[in-house]
Amino acid sequence: MPTAARVSRIVSLVPSLTEAVAVTAPGLLVGATDWCSHPGGLDVVRVGGTKNPDIAAITALRPDLVLANEEENREPDLAALRAAGIEVLVTEVRDLDQAFAELERMLVTGCGLTVPRWLDEAREAWATVPPPYGGGRRAVVPIWRRPWMVLGRNTFAGDLLARLGVHNVYADRAERYPRIPLDELRASGADLVVLPDEPYRFTADDGPEAFPALPAALVDGRYLTWYGPSLAEAPAVLRAALR
C-alpha cells in the first residue's frame, strides 16, 4: 500500500468510491469510470466502464493507487493493473457496518486522509434509525428484468432495507442475485416491490406494471446501493420512498 506521502494520483473504478474521494479530497482524483456520475461536474479522465476499464489509459495516468471493489470490478482487470506495477485497493461491502469500515480504510489507510465529516454524519444518521417495529414488510427487490433478477443473500442494499423494516423475501437464497421467474416473484408472499433505478432503470412506467397486486416503491439507487457521502441522507430519503 502506498504511503500517504506517495498518494497524489488516484483512479477510481467504483462510482461510490469516486464520490467519496471527490467530496473529501477532489485534487487526488485523476481518473474515473464512465459511470461515475457524482459529484456533478467531475472533471477527470474517463477510463471506460467498471467491467471493461481501459487498462492502457489507466496506466498512462500514472496513478499511485487504483480503487476497486470485489463485486463491481473483474479480477483479470485488477491483475493486469498490478502487473503494470500499480497499487490496487480492493474493497468488499456486504452490509452497512462493513461499508463504514471499508470507507475509513480506503480514505485513511489507502489515501492518507483524515476521517471526513460526511462519514461521521453518515454513521450518526444510521445510528439514529429506530429498530424495525413488529414484523415489518416483506418485499421483492428486482435489480434487472429480461431476465428478472432480485436481491438475494448477503447484500449491502438488503441490509439497508432490513434496517428500515423491509425484509427481502429472497434473503435466504444461496445466490446473492438470483434469477427468479416473474410468476414466482408474484407468488412469493411479498406485500411490497422495491424498484431501484440502477443497475436496471426501473421507472413508474417500467416495472410496477409487472406487479399489479403489489404497491411499488421506486427508490433512487444511489441511496440504496452506493456507499459514500449519500449514506448520510439515505435513511431519510429511503424512508420517504418506502412509505
Side-chain angles (χ1 to χ4, degrees), residues 9-95:
R9 299 177 64 81
I10 292 175
V11 171
S12 172
L13 301 182
V14 184
S16 297
L17 304 184
T18 297
E19 183 179 21
V21 174
V23 169
T24 306
L28 294 183
L29 275 174
V30 295
T33 76
D34 299 339
W35 299 103
C36 293
S37 56
H38 287 78
L42 183 65
D43 184 18
V44 296
V45 175
R46 300 297 174 159
V47 295
T50 58
K51 305 296 185 186
N52 58 342
D54 186 332
I55 303 300
I58 296 171
T59 303
L61 289 171
R62 298 177 290 105
D64 302 313
L65 184 65
V66 169
L67 304 177
N69 176 265
E70 51 88 28
E71 181 175 75
E72 294 200 46
N73 307 118
R74 302 185 313 138
E75 179 54 34
D77 295 322
L78 305 184
L81 291 169
R82 294 189 187 100
I86 298 172
E87 294 280 354
V88 180
L89 187 155
V90 182
T91 57
E92 178 183 298
V93 176
R94 302 295 177 89
D95 59 33

Side-chain angles (χ1 to χ4, degrees), residues 172-191:
D172 59 353
R173 279 294 180 110
E175 310 96 326
R176 297 185 67 220
Y177 303 104
R179 296 186 181 188
I180 308 291
L182 182 57
D183 288 347
E184 184 177 333
L185 294 178
R186 290 170 172 168
S188 65
D191 50 36

Side-chain angles (χ1 to χ4, degrees), residues 46-240:
R46 300 297 174 159
V47 295
T50 58
K51 305 296 185 186
N52 58 342
D54 186 332
I55 303 300
I58 296 171
T59 303
L61 289 171
R62 298 177 290 105
D64 302 313
L65 184 65
V66 169
L67 304 177
N69 176 265
E70 51 88 28
E71 181 175 75
E72 294 200 46
N73 307 118
R74 302 185 313 138
E75 179 54 34
D77 295 322
L78 305 184
L81 291 169
R82 294 189 187 100
I86 298 172
E87 294 280 354
V88 180
L89 187 155
V90 182
T91 57
E92 178 183 298
V93 176
R94 302 295 177 89
D95 59 33
L96 181 62
D97 291 337
Q98 191 176 31
F100 287 146
E102 287 288 77
L103 284 166
E104 184 163 335
R105 178 175 74 93
M106 178 196 75
L107 293 169
V108 177
T109 304
C111 302
L113 304 171
T114 58
V115 175
R117 180 174 177 80
W118 63 259
L119 185 52
D120 289 333
E121 291 174 347
R123 285 183 165 125
E124 292 169 5
W126 282 98
T128 58
V129 171
Y133 178 77
R137 285 178 289 177
R138 292 171 51 81
V140 292
V141 191
I143 58 167
W144 204 259
R145 66 184 302 176
R146 295 184 292 272
W148 286 95
M149 298 175 66
V150 299
L151 291 186
R153 66 168 182 87
N154 198 23
T155 66
F156 173 72
D159 184 50
L160 296 196
L161 290 171
R163 291 168 185 265
L164 297 171
V166 177
H167 172 70
N168 170 21
V169 299
Y170 291 103
D172 59 353
R173 279 294 180 110
E175 310 96 326
R176 297 185 67 220
Y177 303 104
R179 296 186 181 188
I180 308 291
L182 182 57
D183 288 347
E184 184 177 333
L185 294 178
R186 290 170 172 168
S188 65
D191 50 36
L192 175 70
V193 56
V194 177
L195 298 168
D197 63 3
E198 61 176 78
Y200 184 90
R201 188 172 180 79
F202 288 106
T203 67
D205 299 319
D206 185 358
E209 81 291 342
F211 302 89
L214 295 179
L218 294 164
V219 302
D220 186 329
R222 178 167 164 263
Y223 293 100
L224 182 62
T225 65
W226 287 37
Y227 31 90
S230 58
L231 282 173
E233 300 175 354
V237 173
L238 292 174
R239 277 186 293 193

